[in-house]
Amino acid sequence: MDLLTLLLENKLEDTLHFPPTIKSSWLAEGILQLLPQETPQEIPQEIPQETPQERSQKRKTDTLIISAGIHGNETVPVEILIQLLAQLAQGTLPLQHNLLLIFGNLPAMREGKRYLDHDLNRMFGGRHQNFPLGNETSRAIELESIIRKFFSEPAVMASKRHRHLDLHTAIRGSCHEQFALLPYQAREYAADFLQWLEDSDLDAVVFHNSPGGTFSHFTSEHFNTDSCTLEIGKALPFGQNDLIRFSNITAALQDLIAGSFSIKRYKSALKRYRVVDAIIKQDNSFQLHIPEDTKNFTELPEGFEIASQQNQSWKITSPANFILFPNASVAIGLRAGLLLAQLT
């Protein structure tokens, strides 16, 4: 039986085993902690008083979180994460860093739905309190608790660099098929993390301009993690994805896990954008004045009225000429689109 089937049937925990160089712990359903372990031959016998934390620092061990399936119908990231998990278990992918693998919304995955009650990726940082109790609120509470516990692990506390890649796919087509969204943060974005995104052969990077309830914003804000939401491809049912199209992302994640530096950029220059404004749906009069098949990163003409609702409208004003995530069917109070400016 393949690992994806085992995951969806909640049998993965009893089936998956790892080599002695990896200490594995299931922290909850779909949440697996993997810590690199030295074999007895590797442990320096001449300094037995050295702690695991000190050895971790000498090995330059970082901390890495990779999450997928926060939206249950976004299947490419789940299949990529399953692939990485199989390689770790088989010993073909070495583990250099403390690793937390998260399959986010398993009930929604089983139903092939984005979510069952409410959007999980709007609930982090305590925002789940603003939603009725349900599948996603329970999972948001659980994920926040486990992330806090993970960052209190001695080996994790000893690491100097923390990264979180939250893998998603877009609902609609995109002028840039693979792109990253960096959460708003007051501190500077780490240069080596930006370089990793560039080397990963992504098409674009978007910088947020305000805090939000996403998983990546939560880890960035509360744990000073180099975090991003990675959007790769379009939402399709399990089994219908051509993973070869996303081999660059898979290779980049393998690079991070193994602590190697083998990836390099082949595409043309990475495009960069910043969020200028968010279109928020406030009532049922809300309308988007663009075709339903409008792609992400479509450039719109100056002065065009892109959206309206009672007593409010949004018009395109330079330099914010690009639309991202247009969606008129979101719940009231949520974002129906972002207006972007391209950075030169």
Side-chain angles (χ1 to χ4, degrees):
M1 192 177 291
D2 66 278
L3 294 186
L4 177 58
T5 302
L6 291 169
L7 172 71
L8 297 176
E9 293 183 358
N10 195 19
K11 298 177 181 177
L12 195 57
E13 183 173 344
D14 299 324
T15 309
L16 204 59
H17 302 284
F18 294 89
T21 53
I22 297 176
K23 179 183 178 183
S24 64
S25 306
W26 288 94
L27 306 184
E29 185 184 359
I31 305 176
L32 177 62
Q33 175 181 284
L34 300 174
L35 303 179
Q37 300 294 296
E38 292 170 324
T39 62
Q41 293 83 0
E42 291 177 307
I43 299 174
Q45 300 301 317
E46 66 275 11
I47 38 177
Q49 73 277 12
E50 192 176 55
T51 67
Q53 296 97 303
E54 289 169 333
R55 289 197 297 274
S56 174
Q57 287 178 320
K58 283 188 175 182
R59 288 169 60 131
K60 298 182 179 179
T61 304
D62 295 335
T63 292
L64 178 62
I65 302 171
I66 307 176
S67 51
I70 294 294
H71 293 136
N73 65 338
E74 298 178 358
T75 57
V76 167
V78 175
E79 293 182 12
I80 289 174
L81 204 52
I82 284 287
Q83 193 177 85
L84 297 174
L85 190 55
Q87 293 166 348
L88 286 162
Q90 293 161 3
T92 56
L93 176 60
L95 179 65
Q96 172 67 26
H97 303 303
N98 308 310
L99 179 62
L100 189 66
L101 298 178
I102 298 173
F103 297 94
N105 196 338
L106 286 161
M109 279 186 226
R110 294 176 182 122
E111 296 289 330
K113 296 180 178 179
R114 186 172 174 83
Y115 50 80
L116 299 189
D117 300 312
H118 299 278
D119 192 335
L120 176 58
N121 211 32
R122 301 292 179 269
M123 294 186 177
F124 292 98
R127 293 171 179 82
H128 50 77
Q129 300 172 35
N130 302 325
F131 293 83
L133 288 176
N135 173 65
E136 281 76 25
T137 50
S138 297
R139 189 60 162 176
I141 293 167
E142 183 174 54
L143 285 171
E144 288 190 2
S145 174
I146 285 174
I147 292 294
R148 291 189 178 95
K149 181 181 177 182
F150 178 65
F151 277 104
S152 69
E153 286 275 351
V156 175
M157 293 176 67
S159 63
K160 294 183 178 180
R161 181 166 53 187
H162 304 145
R163 288 177 172 175
H164 176 202
L165 293 311
D166 187 29
L167 278 58
H168 287 254
T169 65
I171 297 173
R172 61 181 61 238
S174 180
C175 298
H176 302 309
E177 185 183 40
Q178 301 180 33
F179 59 96
L181 296 109
L182 293 173
Y184 168 79
Q185 57 187 48
R187 66 187 187 279
E188 287 189 14
Y189 296 97
D192 59 348
F193 188 55
L194 295 177
Q195 186 63 52
W196 179 83
L197 292 171
E198 178 130 11
D199 293 341
S200 300
D201 241 4
L202 295 173
D203 301 306
V205 170
V206 177
F207 297 86
H208 270 291
N209 66 340
S210 62
T214 64
F215 198 14
S216 59
H217 183 89
F218 170 70
T219 54
S220 170
E221 179 181 24
H222 293 275
F223 303 98
N224 288 327
T225 300
D226 297 327
S227 303
C228 78
T229 302
L230 278 179
E231 299 278 353
I232 47 177
K234 189 176 179 180
L236 293 171
F238 283 118
Q240 295 186 20
N241 299 301
D242 180 9
L243 295 187
I244 294 175
R245 291 172 56 195
F246 311 107
S247 57
N248 59 311
I249 293 296
T250 304
L253 293 172
Q254 290 168 332
D255 230 44
L256 279 184
I257 291 169
S260 57
F261 303 93
S262 61
I263 58 170
K264 60 181 179 180
R265 187 168 188 84
Y266 291 97
K267 294 180 181 177
S268 57
L270 185 75
K271 304 287 187 183
R272 298 188 179 210
Y273 300 84
R274 63 179 174 87
V275 176
V276 175
D277 196 10
I279 300 172
I280 307 297
K281 180 178 178 179
Q282 299 289 8
D283 57 57
N284 288 325
S285 69
F286 180 85
Q287 289 185 313
L288 275 175
H289 306 303
I290 53 176
E292 288 189 5
D293 60 353
T294 299
K295 292 182 177 182
N296 286 323
F297 297 97
T298 292
E299 186 173 5
L300 298 167
E302 182 80 11
F304 175 74
E305 185 183 59
I306 185 171
S308 64
Q309 59 192 4
Q310 188 175 359
N311 301 322
Q312 189 176 14
S313 68
W314 287 265
K315 291 186 178 181
I316 298 299
T317 304
S318 293
N321 293 88
F322 298 85
I323 182 67
L324 180 63
F325 301 141
N327 185 2
S329 63
V330 297
I332 290 174
L334 293 185
R335 180 193 71 202
L338 294 172
L339 295 177
L340 311 178
Q342 187 171 356
L343 303 176
T344 57

